[in-house]
Amino acid sequence: MTLCFGRPYVAIPGPSVIPDRVLRAMHRPGPNIYEGELVEMMPALIGDLKAVARTRHNVAIYIANGHGAWEAALSNVIGPGDTVLSLCTGRFGHGWTEMAEALGVHVQIEDFGMRTPVDPNRVETALRADPDHRIRAVLLTHVDTSTSIKNDVAEVRAAMDAAGHPALLMVDCIASIGCDQFEMDGWGADVAVAASQKGLMVPPGMAFVFFSDKAAQVRKGMTRVSRYWDWSDRADPELFYQYFGGTAPTHHLYGLREALDMIAEEGGIEAVWARHSHLARAIWAAFDCWAASGPLEMNVKDPAHRSCAVTSLRIGAPHGTALRRWTEEKTGVTLGIGLGMQSDDDPNADGFFRLGHMGHVNAPMVMGALSSIQSGLMALNIAHGAGALEAAAQVISEA
């Protein structure tokens, strides 16, 4: 018997749940892209988008996913033969590394494993070992959705400053923007990349590159930048058409406008951060109880280094895959796969799963997902501690 009749809940770490309001805003005929409401709404949309990233600087919009944002950011400030320092704490840190290598960039990797955040002391040491300043940029993933590690952007900036190194700090905020606190200007990021499909609650297909005046100056010194990825006209267009390097992603823009309005109505980005933090603590309380007796454990032990957008779990093969299949087939809750967690002992990452709690998420959704997980643990006879749902409810009650 299945109990998943009705609306399913895709609780993966992106694409996230799209609010009905966003879907309704997108459900309209195609607009004029040369004049009228779409053109007129862009200045305010750009301002509100920059406010979410906490920057007064520039933003370029691309019709792309997060991988496109990676390439766009690199293409504007890094050329073939240049060197970057890549700080990796999961699959997506390595993914940005691979993107740079494919562009002919030499990448120096500092790998911090799959369970611990970036060590700023190692960053400072690596930069001090580069007295000729060959390293043009430091690549950092704020939140890696494969491991759920949250890195301290401000600490990395401080390490760079302590080393006296002029490299750009480029930060992947695809998973964190609109979920975990991110302060582009306050933390000293020069470039930040994001996408529409996670905390911003819009379908996949739109990517954003925020960049400082320092990064803009580096762009001016580049001998060649791909015409499509060039952020110059997109960030300061003379015509609406130039925002997007061609035809606009019309319906995504209507969806984004509605999503930004929802953020404002909630009380601004600080209120959104607070909601994500509170719900994450409820989720962690439940997992702590289950982990007290049995194989389940959170991938990141220190709560200070956990993302409020996604939690990566270790439960041992084959329990991860079995639990995911049970919750999806029996309750309609889809959990995330153990992406990037393969090993010789677990080549299919069957011992892992992830719970996404980003963007359009609230207490009933969280409690529903946790109830489905507990039901799966019981149905599959996977050992687990007691009191998880009560612990989560207690945290929620303290809102």
Side-chain angles (χ1 to χ4, degrees), residues 16-19 22-23 26 195-203 255 258-260 262-263 266 272 275 358-361:
S16 65
V17 174
I18 305 169
V22 171
L23 291 171
M26 298 177 72
S196 58
Q197 75 272 15
K198 296 183 186 279
L200 293 178
M201 306 177 287
V202 177
E258 192 70 22
L260 292 170
M262 291 177 67
I263 290 171
E266 187 171 347
V272 173
R275 169 170 53 86
M358 53 175 57
H360 188 58
V361 62

mmCIF file with all atom_site columns, all heavy atoms in Angstrom, residues 16-19 22-23 26 195-203 255 258-260 262-263 266 272 275 358-361:
data_model
loop_
_atom_site.group_PDB
_atom_site.id
_atom_site.type_symbol
_atom_site.label_atom_id
_atom_site.label_alt_id
_atom_site.label_comp_id
_atom_site.label_asym_id
_atom_site.label_entity_id
_atom_site.label_seq_id
_atom_site.pdbx_PDB_ins_code
_atom_site.Cartn_x
_atom_site.Cartn_y
_atom_site.Cartn_z
_atom_site.occupancy
_atom_site.B_iso_or_equiv
_atom_site.pdbx_formal_charge
_atom_site.auth_seq_id
_atom_site.auth_comp_id
_atom_site.auth_asym_id
_atom_site.auth_atom_id
_atom_site.pdbx_PDB_model_num
ATOM 1   N N   . SER A 1 16  ? 14.523 23.204 -5.510  1.00 0.00 ? 16  SER A N   1
ATOM 2   C CA  . SER A 1 16  ? 13.690 23.213 -4.317  1.00 0.00 ? 16  SER A CA  1
ATOM 3   C C   . SER A 1 16  ? 12.219 23.385 -4.697  1.00 0.00 ? 16  SER A C   1
ATOM 4   O O   . SER A 1 16  ? 11.868 23.573 -5.864  1.00 0.00 ? 16  SER A O   1
ATOM 5   C CB  . SER A 1 16  ? 14.134 24.339 -3.380  1.00 0.00 ? 16  SER A CB  1
ATOM 6   O OG  . SER A 1 16  ? 13.907 25.608 -3.981  1.00 0.00 ? 16  SER A OG  1
ATOM 7   N N   . VAL A 1 17  ? 11.373 23.316 -3.694  1.00 0.00 ? 17  VAL A N   1
ATOM 8   C CA  . VAL A 1 17  ? 9.931  23.471 -3.899  1.00 0.00 ? 17  VAL A CA  1
ATOM 9   C C   . VAL A 1 17  ? 9.635  24.867 -4.448  1.00 0.00 ? 17  VAL A C   1
ATOM 10  O O   . VAL A 1 17  ? 10.123 25.873 -3.921  1.00 0.00 ? 17  VAL A O   1
ATOM 11  C CB  . VAL A 1 17  ? 9.176  23.245 -2.574  1.00 0.00 ? 17  VAL A CB  1
ATOM 12  C CG1 . VAL A 1 17  ? 7.693  23.552 -2.747  1.00 0.00 ? 17  VAL A CG1 1
ATOM 13  C CG2 . VAL A 1 17  ? 9.390  21.815 -2.085  1.00 0.00 ? 17  VAL A CG2 1
ATOM 14  N N   . ILE A 1 18  ? 8.836  24.927 -5.504  1.00 0.00 ? 18  ILE A N   1
ATOM 15  C CA  . ILE A 1 18  ? 8.459  26.216 -6.099  1.00 0.00 ? 18  ILE A CA  1
ATOM 16  C C   . ILE A 1 18  ? 7.131  26.646 -5.483  1.00 0.00 ? 18  ILE A C   1
ATOM 17  O O   . ILE A 1 18  ? 6.139  25.917 -5.571  1.00 0.00 ? 18  ILE A O   1
ATOM 18  C CB  . ILE A 1 18  ? 8.325  26.108 -7.624  1.00 0.00 ? 18  ILE A CB  1
ATOM 19  C CG1 . ILE A 1 18  ? 9.608  25.546 -8.240  1.00 0.00 ? 18  ILE A CG1 1
ATOM 20  C CG2 . ILE A 1 18  ? 7.992  27.465 -8.238  1.00 0.00 ? 18  ILE A CG2 1
ATOM 21  C CD1 . ILE A 1 18  ? 9.473  25.149 -9.695  1.00 0.00 ? 18  ILE A CD1 1
ATOM 22  N N   . PRO A 1 19  ? 7.066  27.812 -4.866  1.00 0.00 ? 19  PRO A N   1
ATOM 23  C CA  . PRO A 1 19  ? 5.796  28.273 -4.282  1.00 0.00 ? 19  PRO A CA  1
ATOM 24  C C   . PRO A 1 19  ? 4.714  28.427 -5.340  1.00 0.00 ? 19  PRO A C   1
ATOM 25  O O   . PRO A 1 19  ? 4.983  28.783 -6.487  1.00 0.00 ? 19  PRO A O   1
ATOM 26  C CB  . PRO A 1 19  ? 6.158  29.629 -3.666  1.00 0.00 ? 19  PRO A CB  1
ATOM 27  C CG  . PRO A 1 19  ? 7.645  29.626 -3.536  1.00 0.00 ? 19  PRO A CG  1
ATOM 28  C CD  . PRO A 1 19  ? 8.159  28.773 -4.646  1.00 0.00 ? 19  PRO A CD  1
ATOM 29  N N   . VAL A 1 22  ? 4.793  31.742 -7.069  1.00 0.00 ? 22  VAL A N   1
ATOM 30  C CA  . VAL A 1 22  ? 5.781  31.875 -8.146  1.00 0.00 ? 22  VAL A CA  1
ATOM 31  C C   . VAL A 1 22  ? 5.270  31.201 -9.413  1.00 0.00 ? 22  VAL A C   1
ATOM 32  O O   . VAL A 1 22  ? 5.383  31.753 -10.522 1.00 0.00 ? 22  VAL A O   1
ATOM 33  C CB  . VAL A 1 22  ? 7.133  31.276 -7.705  1.00 0.00 ? 22  VAL A CB  1
ATOM 34  C CG1 . VAL A 1 22  ? 8.109  31.191 -8.880  1.00 0.00 ? 22  VAL A CG1 1
ATOM 35  C CG2 . VAL A 1 22  ? 7.737  32.113 -6.576  1.00 0.00 ? 22  VAL A CG2 1
ATOM 36  N N   . LEU A 1 23  ? 4.674  30.032 -9.266  1.00 0.00 ? 23  LEU A N   1
ATOM 37  C CA  . LEU A 1 23  ? 4.121  29.339 -10.431 1.00 0.00 ? 23  LEU A CA  1
ATOM 38  C C   . LEU A 1 23  ? 3.018  30.158 -11.091 1.00 0.00 ? 23  LEU A C   1
ATOM 39  O O   . LEU A 1 23  ? 2.952  30.260 -12.325 1.00 0.00 ? 23  LEU A O   1
ATOM 40  C CB  . LEU A 1 23  ? 3.584  27.971 -10.014 1.00 0.00 ? 23  LEU A CB  1
ATOM 41  C CG  . LEU A 1 23  ? 4.628  26.933 -9.589  1.00 0.00 ? 23  LEU A CG  1
ATOM 42  C CD1 . LEU A 1 23  ? 3.946  25.700 -9.000  1.00 0.00 ? 23  LEU A CD1 1
ATOM 43  C CD2 . LEU A 1 23  ? 5.529  26.541 -10.752 1.00 0.00 ? 23  LEU A CD2 1
ATOM 44  N N   . MET A 1 26  ? 4.340  33.032 -13.118 1.00 0.00 ? 26  MET A N   1
ATOM 45  C CA  . MET A 1 26  ? 4.943  32.601 -14.383 1.00 0.00 ? 26  MET A CA  1
ATOM 46  C C   . MET A 1 26  ? 3.896  32.142 -15.405 1.00 0.00 ? 26  MET A C   1
ATOM 47  O O   . MET A 1 26  ? 4.192  32.056 -16.598 1.00 0.00 ? 26  MET A O   1
ATOM 48  C CB  . MET A 1 26  ? 5.932  31.461 -14.122 1.00 0.00 ? 26  MET A CB  1
ATOM 49  C CG  . MET A 1 26  ? 7.096  31.847 -13.232 1.00 0.00 ? 26  MET A CG  1
ATOM 50  S SD  . MET A 1 26  ? 8.195  30.462 -12.872 1.00 0.00 ? 26  MET A SD  1
ATOM 51  C CE  . MET A 1 26  ? 9.006  30.236 -14.457 1.00 0.00 ? 26  MET A CE  1
ATOM 52  N N   . ALA A 1 195 ? 22.271 30.806 -8.289  1.00 0.00 ? 195 ALA A N   1
ATOM 53  C CA  . ALA A 1 195 ? 21.335 30.313 -9.292  1.00 0.00 ? 195 ALA A CA  1
ATOM 54  C C   . ALA A 1 195 ? 19.927 30.389 -8.725  1.00 0.00 ? 195 ALA A C   1
ATOM 55  O O   . ALA A 1 195 ? 19.726 30.576 -7.522  1.00 0.00 ? 195 ALA A O   1
ATOM 56  C CB  . ALA A 1 195 ? 21.694 28.897 -9.723  1.00 0.00 ? 195 ALA A CB  1
ATOM 57  N N   . SER A 1 196 ? 18.955 30.198 -9.607  1.00 0.00 ? 196 SER A N   1
ATOM 58  C CA  . SER A 1 196 ? 17.565 30.491 -9.262  1.00 0.00 ? 196 SER A CA  1
ATOM 59  C C   . SER A 1 196 ? 16.858 29.383 -8.498  1.00 0.00 ? 196 SER A C   1
ATOM 60  O O   . SER A 1 196 ? 15.836 29.628 -7.852  1.00 0.00 ? 196 SER A O   1
ATOM 61  C CB  . SER A 1 196 ? 16.777 30.797 -10.538 1.00 0.00 ? 196 SER A CB  1
ATOM 62  O OG  . SER A 1 196 ? 16.825 29.710 -11.454 1.00 0.00 ? 196 SER A OG  1
ATOM 63  N N   . GLN A 1 197 ? 17.371 28.145 -8.531  1.00 0.00 ? 197 GLN A N   1
ATOM 64  C CA  . GLN A 1 197 ? 16.554 26.990 -8.200  1.00 0.00 ? 197 GLN A CA  1
ATOM 65  C C   . GLN A 1 197 ? 16.646 26.501 -6.766  1.00 0.00 ? 197 GLN A C   1
ATOM 66  O O   . GLN A 1 197 ? 16.110 25.453 -6.447  1.00 0.00 ? 197 GLN A O   1
ATOM 67  C CB  . GLN A 1 197 ? 16.907 25.830 -9.139  1.00 0.00 ? 197 GLN A CB  1
ATOM 68  C CG  . GLN A 1 197 ? 18.232 25.124 -8.848  1.00 0.00 ? 197 GLN A CG  1
ATOM 69  C CD  . GLN A 1 197 ? 19.424 25.745 -9.532  1.00 0.00 ? 197 GLN A CD  1
ATOM 70  O OE1 . GLN A 1 197 ? 19.349 26.874 -10.010 1.00 0.00 ? 197 GLN A OE1 1
ATOM 71  N NE2 . GLN A 1 197 ? 20.532 25.034 -9.581  1.00 0.00 ? 197 GLN A NE2 1
ATOM 72  N N   . LYS A 1 198 ? 17.286 27.232 -5.901  1.00 0.00 ? 198 LYS A N   1
ATOM 73  C CA  . LYS A 1 198 ? 17.400 26.766 -4.519  1.00 0.00 ? 198 LYS A CA  1
ATOM 74  C C   . LYS A 1 198 ? 16.724 27.768 -3.577  1.00 0.00 ? 198 LYS A C   1
ATOM 75  O O   . LYS A 1 198 ? 15.500 27.818 -3.510  1.00 0.00 ? 198 LYS A O   1
ATOM 76  C CB  . LYS A 1 198 ? 18.862 26.513 -4.177  1.00 0.00 ? 198 LYS A CB  1
ATOM 77  C CG  . LYS A 1 198 ? 19.466 25.377 -5.027  1.00 0.00 ? 198 LYS A CG  1
ATOM 78  C CD  . LYS A 1 198 ? 20.887 25.056 -4.647  1.00 0.00 ? 198 LYS A CD  1
ATOM 79  C CE  . LYS A 1 198 ? 21.515 24.038 -5.584  1.00 0.00 ? 198 LYS A CE  1
ATOM 80  N NZ  . LYS A 1 198 ? 21.154 22.652 -5.272  1.00 0.00 ? 198 LYS A NZ  1
ATOM 81  N N   . GLY A 1 199 ? 17.484 28.576 -2.868  1.00 0.00 ? 199 GLY A N   1
ATOM 82  C CA  . GLY A 1 199 ? 16.867 29.509 -1.930  1.00 0.00 ? 199 GLY A CA  1
ATOM 83  C C   . GLY A 1 199 ? 16.012 30.571 -2.584  1.00 0.00 ? 199 GLY A C   1
ATOM 84  O O   . GLY A 1 199 ? 15.138 31.152 -1.934  1.00 0.00 ? 199 GLY A O   1
ATOM 85  N N   . LEU A 1 200 ? 16.226 30.833 -3.862  1.00 0.00 ? 200 LEU A N   1
ATOM 86  C CA  . LEU A 1 200 ? 15.439 31.857 -4.555  1.00 0.00 ? 200 LEU A CA  1
ATOM 87  C C   . LEU A 1 200 ? 14.116 31.310 -5.089  1.00 0.00 ? 200 LEU A C   1
ATOM 88  O O   . LEU A 1 200 ? 13.318 32.077 -5.647  1.00 0.00 ? 200 LEU A O   1
ATOM 89  C CB  . LEU A 1 200 ? 16.263 32.481 -5.683  1.00 0.00 ? 200 LEU A CB  1
ATOM 90  C CG  . LEU A 1 200 ? 17.459 33.305 -5.196  1.00 0.00 ? 200 LEU A CG  1
ATOM 91  C CD1 . LEU A 1 200 ? 18.260 33.842 -6.374  1.00 0.00 ? 200 LEU A CD1 1
ATOM 92  C CD2 . LEU A 1 200 ? 17.007 34.460 -4.301  1.00 0.00 ? 200 LEU A CD2 1
ATOM 93  N N   . MET A 1 201 ? 13.868 30.005 -4.995  1.00 0.00 ? 201 MET A N   1
ATOM 94  C CA  . MET A 1 201 ? 12.530 29.420 -5.175  1.00 0.00 ? 201 MET A CA  1
ATOM 95  C C   . MET A 1 201 ? 11.969 29.525 -6.591  1.00 0.00 ? 201 MET A C   1
ATOM 96  O O   . MET A 1 201 ? 10.753 29.504 -6.791  1.00 0.00 ? 201 MET A O   1
ATOM 97  C CB  . MET A 1 201 ? 11.534 30.051 -4.182  1.00 0.00 ? 201 MET A CB  1
ATOM 98  C CG  . MET A 1 201 ? 11.967 29.995 -2.733  1.00 0.00 ? 201 MET A CG  1
ATOM 99  S SD  . MET A 1 201 ? 10.819 30.816 -1.600  1.00 0.00 ? 201 MET A SD  1
ATOM 100 C CE  . MET A 1 201 ? 11.118 32.557 -1.964  1.00 0.00 ? 201 MET A CE  1
ATOM 101 N N   . VAL A 1 202 ? 12.823 29.632 -7.590  1.00 0.00 ? 202 VAL A N   1
ATOM 102 C CA  . VAL A 1 202 ? 12.423 29.766 -8.984  1.00 0.00 ? 202 VAL A CA  1
ATOM 103 C C   . VAL A 1 202 ? 12.932 28.535 -9.724  1.00 0.00 ? 202 VAL A C   1
ATOM 104 O O   . VAL A 1 202 ? 13.953 27.959 -9.337  1.00 0.00 ? 202 VAL A O   1
ATOM 105 C CB  . VAL A 1 202 ? 13.012 31.064 -9.587  1.00 0.00 ? 202 VAL A CB  1
ATOM 106 C CG1 . VAL A 1 202 ? 12.667 31.208 -11.067 1.00 0.00 ? 202 VAL A CG1 1
ATOM 107 C CG2 . VAL A 1 202 ? 12.501 32.276 -8.803  1.00 0.00 ? 202 VAL A CG2 1
ATOM 108 N N   . PRO A 1 203 ? 12.270 28.074 -10.788 1.00 0.00 ? 203 PRO A N   1
ATOM 109 C CA  . PRO A 1 203 ? 12.774 26.904 -11.503 1.00 0.00 ? 203 PRO A CA  1
ATOM 110 C C   . PRO A 1 203 ? 14.199 27.084 -11.998 1.00 0.00 ? 203 PRO A C   1
ATOM 111 O O   . PRO A 1 203 ? 14.671 28.213 -12.185 1.00 0.00 ? 203 PRO A O   1
ATOM 112 C CB  . PRO A 1 203 ? 11.801 26.775 -12.685 1.00 0.00 ? 203 PRO A CB  1
ATOM 113 C CG  . PRO A 1 203 ? 10.552 27.423 -12.224 1.00 0.00 ? 203 PRO A CG  1
ATOM 114 C CD  . PRO A 1 203 ? 10.990 28.559 -11.346 1.00 0.00 ? 203 PRO A CD  1
ATOM 115 N N   . GLY A 1 255 ? 8.772  35.027 -12.231 1.00 0.00 ? 255 GLY A N   1
ATOM 116 C CA  . GLY A 1 255 ? 8.854  34.183 -11.052 1.00 0.00 ? 255 GLY A CA  1
ATOM 117 C C   . GLY A 1 255 ? 9.800  34.754 -10.011 1.00 0.00 ? 255 GLY A C   1
ATOM 118 O O   . GLY A 1 255 ? 9.507  34.744 -8.811  1.00 0.00 ? 255 GLY A O   1
ATOM 119 N N   . GLU A 1 258 ? 8.270  37.637 -8.107  1.00 0.00 ? 258 GLU A N   1
ATOM 120 C CA  . GLU A 1 258 ? 7.352  37.180 -7.064  1.00 0.00 ? 258 GLU A CA  1
ATOM 121 C C   . GLU A 1 258 ? 8.121  36.618 -5.869  1.00 0.00 ? 258 GLU A C   1
ATOM 122 O O   . GLU A 1 258 ? 7.766  36.864 -4.713  1.00 0.00 ? 258 GLU A O   1
ATOM 123 C CB  . GLU A 1 258 ? 6.413  36.123 -7.621  1.00 0.00 ? 258 GLU A CB  1
ATOM 124 C CG  . GLU A 1 258 ? 5.234  35.796 -6.718  1.00 0.00 ? 258 GLU A CG  1
ATOM 125 C CD  . GLU A 1 258 ? 4.224  36.937 -6.629  1.00 0.00 ? 258 GLU A CD  1
ATOM 126 O OE1 . GLU A 1 258 ? 4.184  37.801 -7.530  1.00 0.00 ? 258 GLU A OE1 1
ATOM 127 O OE2 . GLU A 1 258 ? 3.464  36.959 -5.637  1.00 0.00 ? 258 GLU A OE2 1
ATOM 128 N N   . ALA A 1 259 ? 9.181  35.861 -6.126  1.00 0.00 ? 259 ALA A N   1
ATOM 129 C CA  . ALA A 1 259 ? 9.981  35.283 -5.040  1.00 0.00 ? 259 ALA A CA  1
ATOM 130 C C   . ALA A 1 259 ? 10.632 36.383 -4.205  1.00 0.00 ? 259 ALA A C   1
ATOM 131 O O   . ALA A 1 259 ? 10.662 36.303 -2.964  1.00 0.00 ? 259 ALA A O   1
ATOM 132 C CB  . ALA A 1 259 ? 11.040 34.349 -5.611  1.00 0.00 ? 259 ALA A CB  1
ATOM 133 N N   . LEU A 1 260 ? 11.155 37.404 -4.849  1.00 0.00 ? 260 LEU A N   1
ATOM 134 C CA  . LEU A 1 260 ? 11.758 38.512 -4.109  1.00 0.00 ? 260 LEU A CA  1
ATOM 135 C C   . LEU A 1 260 ? 10.707 39.264 -3.292  1.00 0.00 ? 260 LEU A C   1
ATOM 136 O O   . LEU A 1 260 ? 10.995 39.734 -2.180  1.00 0.00 ? 260 LEU A O   1
ATOM 137 C CB  . LEU A 1 260 ? 12.473 39.458 -5.071  1.00 0.00 ? 260 LEU A CB  1
ATOM 138 C CG  . LEU A 1 260 ? 13.722 38.877 -5.755  1.00 0.00 ? 260 LEU A CG  1
ATOM 139 C CD1 . LEU A 1 260 ? 14.205 39.809 -6.870  1.00 0.00 ? 260 LEU A CD1 1
ATOM 140 C CD2 . LEU A 1 260 ? 14.839 38.627 -4.756  1.00 0.00 ? 260 LEU A CD2 1
ATOM 141 N N   . MET A 1 262 ? 8.108  37.820 -1.956  1.00 0.00 ? 262 MET A N   1
ATOM 142 C CA  . MET A 1 262 ? 7.839  36.951 -0.814  1.00 0.00 ? 262 MET A CA  1
ATOM 143 C C   . MET A 1 262 ? 8.905  37.127 0.261   1.00 0.00 ? 262 MET A C   1
ATOM 144 O O   . MET A 1 262 ? 8.594  37.130 1.465   1.00 0.00 ? 262 MET A O   1
ATOM 145 C CB  . MET A 1 262 ? 7.783  35.501 -1.276  1.00 0.00 ? 262 MET A CB  1
ATOM 146 C CG  . MET A 1 262 ? 6.581  35.170 -2.143  1.00 0.00 ? 262 MET A CG  1
ATOM 147 S SD  . MET A 1 262 ? 6.577  33.459 -2.755  1.00 0.00 ? 262 MET A SD  1
ATOM 148 C CE  . MET A 1 262 ? 6.335  32.554 -1.219  1.00 0.00 ? 262 MET A CE  1
ATOM 149 N N   . ILE A 1 263 ? 10.165 37.270 -0.146  1.00 0.00 ? 263 ILE A N   1
ATOM 150 C CA  . ILE A 1 263 ? 11.246 37.502 0.813   1.00 0.00 ? 263 ILE A CA  1
ATOM 151 C C   . ILE A 1 263 ? 11.014 38.807 1.561   1.00 0.00 ? 263 ILE A C   1
ATOM 152 O O   . ILE A 1 263 ? 11.160 38.884 2.788   1.00 0.00 ? 263 ILE A O   1
ATOM 153 C CB  . ILE A 1 263 ? 12.604 37.493 0.090   1.00 0.00 ? 263 ILE A CB  1
ATOM 154 C CG1 . ILE A 1 263 ? 12.947 36.069 -0.375  1.00 0.00 ? 263 ILE A CG1 1
ATOM 155 C CG2 . ILE A 1 263 ? 13.711 38.048 0.990   1.00 0.00 ? 263 ILE A CG2 1
ATOM 156 C CD1 . ILE A 1 263 ? 14.164 35.979 -1.277  1.00 0.00 ? 263 ILE A CD1 1
ATOM 157 N N   . GLU A 1 266 ? 8.180  38.527 4.103   1.00 0.00 ? 266 GLU A N   1
ATOM 158 C CA  . GLU A 1 266 ? 8.518  37.747 5.296   1.00 0.00 ? 266 GLU A CA  1
ATOM 159 C C   . GLU A 1 266 ? 9.239  38.600 6.338   1.00 0.00 ? 266 GLU A C   1
ATOM 160 O O   . GLU A 1 266 ? 9.292  38.248 7.512   1.00 0.00 ? 266 GLU A O   1
ATOM 161 C CB  . GLU A 1 266 ? 9.380  36.543 4.899   1.00 0.00 ? 266 GLU A CB  1
ATOM 162 C CG  . GLU A 1 266 ? 9.644  35.586 6.044   1.00 0.00 ? 266 GLU A CG  1
ATOM 163 C CD  . GLU A 1 266 ? 10.298 34.286 5.614   1.00 0.00 ? 266 GLU A CD  1
ATOM 164 O OE1 . GLU A 1 266 ? 10.334 33.997 4.402   1.00 0.00 ? 266 GLU A OE1 1
ATOM 165 O OE2 . GLU A 1 266 ? 10.758 33.539 6.497   1.00 0.00 ? 266 GLU A OE2 1
ATOM 166 N N   . VAL A 1 272 ? 14.343 35.517 6.624   1.00 0.00 ? 272 VAL A N   1
ATOM 167 C CA  . VAL A 1 272 ? 14.487 34.256 5.888   1.00 0.00 ? 272 VAL A CA  1
ATOM 168 C C   . VAL A 1 272 ? 15.612 33.431 6.492   1.00 0.00 ? 272 VAL A C   1
ATOM 169 O O   . VAL A 1 272 ? 15.477 32.211 6.693   1.00 0.00 ? 272 VAL A O   1
ATOM 170 C CB  . VAL A 1 272 ? 14.741 34.532 4.396   1.00 0.00 ? 272 VAL A CB  1
ATOM 171 C CG1 . VAL A 1 272 ? 15.056 33.249 3.641   1.00 0.00 ? 272 VAL A CG1 1
ATOM 172 C CG2 . VAL A 1 272 ? 13.536 35.233 3.774   1.00 0.00 ? 272 VAL A CG2 1
ATOM 173 N N   . ARG A 1 275 ? 14.380 31.889 9.755   1.00 0.00 ? 275 ARG A N   1
ATOM 174 C CA  . ARG A 1 275 ? 13.494 30.727 9.543   1.00 0.00 ? 275 ARG A CA  1
ATOM 175 C C   . ARG A 1 275 ? 14.308 29.490 9.198   1.00 0.00 ? 275 ARG A C   1
ATOM 176 O O   . ARG A 1 275 ? 14.087 28.402 9.756   1.00 0.00 ? 275 ARG A O   1
ATOM 177 C CB  . ARG A 1 275 ? 12.487 31.034 8.433   1.00 0.00 ? 275 ARG A CB  1
ATOM 178 C CG  . ARG A 1 275 ? 11.704 29.805 7.963   1.00 0.00 ? 275 ARG A CG  1
ATOM 179 C CD  . ARG A 1 275 ? 10.548 30.180 7.041   1.00 0.00 ? 275 ARG A CD  1
ATOM 180 N NE  . ARG A 1 275 ? 10.962 31.003 5.923   1.00 0.00 ? 275 ARG A NE  1
ATOM 181 C CZ  . ARG A 1 275 ? 11.437 30.539 4.767   1.00 0.00 ? 275 ARG A CZ  1
ATOM 182 N NH1 . ARG A 1 275 ? 11.580 29.230 4.587   1.00 0.00 ? 275 ARG A NH1 1
ATOM 183 N NH2 . ARG A 1 275 ? 11.761 31.369 3.784   1.00 0.00 ? 275 ARG A NH2 1
ATOM 184 N N   . MET A 1 358 ? 15.490 24.039 2.067   1.00 0.00 ? 358 MET A N   1
ATOM 185 C CA  . MET A 1 358 ? 15.883 25.332 1.532   1.00 0.00 ? 358 MET A CA  1
ATOM 186 C C   . MET A 1 358 ? 14.719 26.008 0.819   1.00 0.00 ? 358 MET A C   1
ATOM 187 O O   . MET A 1 358 ? 13.850 25.357 0.243   1.00 0.00 ? 358 MET A O   1
ATOM 188 C CB  . MET A 1 358 ? 17.037 25.155 0.540   1.00 0.00 ? 358 MET A CB  1
ATOM 189 C CG  . MET A 1 358 ? 16.778 24.152 -0.565  1.00 0.00 ? 358 MET A CG  1
ATOM 190 S SD  . MET A 1 358 ? 18.096 24.042 -1.813  1.00 0.00 ? 358 MET A SD  1
ATOM 191 C CE  . MET A 1 358 ? 19.538 23.659 -0.850  1.00 0.00 ? 358 MET A CE  1
ATOM 192 N N   . GLY A 1 359 ? 14.713 27.329 0.903   1.00 0.00 ? 359 GLY A N   1
ATOM 193 C CA  . GLY A 1 359 ? 13.733 28.095 0.143   1.00 0.00 ? 359 GLY A CA  1
ATOM 194 C C   . GLY A 1 359 ? 12.350 28.047 0.743   1.00 0.00 ? 359 GLY A C   1
ATOM 195 O O   . GLY A 1 359 ? 12.125 28.463 1.882   1.00 0.00 ? 359 GLY A O   1
ATOM 196 N N   . HIS A 1 360 ? 11.392 27.512 -0.025  1.00 0.00 ? 360 HIS A N   1
ATOM 197 C CA  . HIS A 1 360 ? 9.990  27.488 0.377   1.00 0.00 ? 360 HIS A CA  1
ATOM 198 C C   . HIS A 1 360 ? 9.750  26.285 1.280   1.00 0.00 ? 360 HIS A C   1
ATOM 199 O O   . HIS A 1 360 ? 9.295  25.227 0.857   1.00 0.00 ? 360 HIS A O   1
ATOM 200 C CB  . HIS A 1 360 ? 9.115  27.423 -0.875  1.00 0.00 ? 360 HIS A CB  1
ATOM 201 C CG  . HIS A 1 360 ? 7.651  27.594 -0.609  1.00 0.00 ? 360 HIS A CG  1
ATOM 202 N ND1 . HIS A 1 360 ? 7.134  28.699 0.013   1.00 0.00 ? 360 HIS A ND1 1
ATOM 203 C CD2 . HIS A 1 360 ? 6.587  26.777 -0.886  1.00 0.00 ? 360 HIS A CD2 1
ATOM 204 C CE1 . HIS A 1 360 ? 5.817  28.591 0.102   1.00 0.00 ? 360 HIS A CE1 1
ATOM 205 N NE2 . HIS A 1 360 ? 5.464  27.425 -0.427  1.00 0.00 ? 360 HIS A NE2 1
ATOM 206 N N   . VAL A 1 361 ? 10.081 26.444 2.564   1.00 0.00 ? 361 VAL A N   1
ATOM 207 C CA  . VAL A 1 361 ? 9.961  25.342 3.518   1.00 0.00 ? 361 VAL A CA  1
ATOM 208 C C   . VAL A 1 361 ? 9.435  25.908 4.837   1.00 0.00 ? 361 VAL A C   1
ATOM 209 O O   . VAL A 1 361 ? 9.762  27.035 5.223   1.00 0.00 ? 361 VAL A O   1
ATOM 210 C CB  . VAL A 1 361 ? 11.328 24.636 3.710   1.00 0.00 ? 361 VAL A CB  1
ATOM 211 C CG1 . VAL A 1 361 ? 12.371 25.573 4.289   1.00 0.00 ? 361 VAL A CG1 1
ATOM 212 C CG2 . VAL A 1 361 ? 11.196 23.380 4.545   1.00 0.00 ? 361 VAL A CG2 1
#
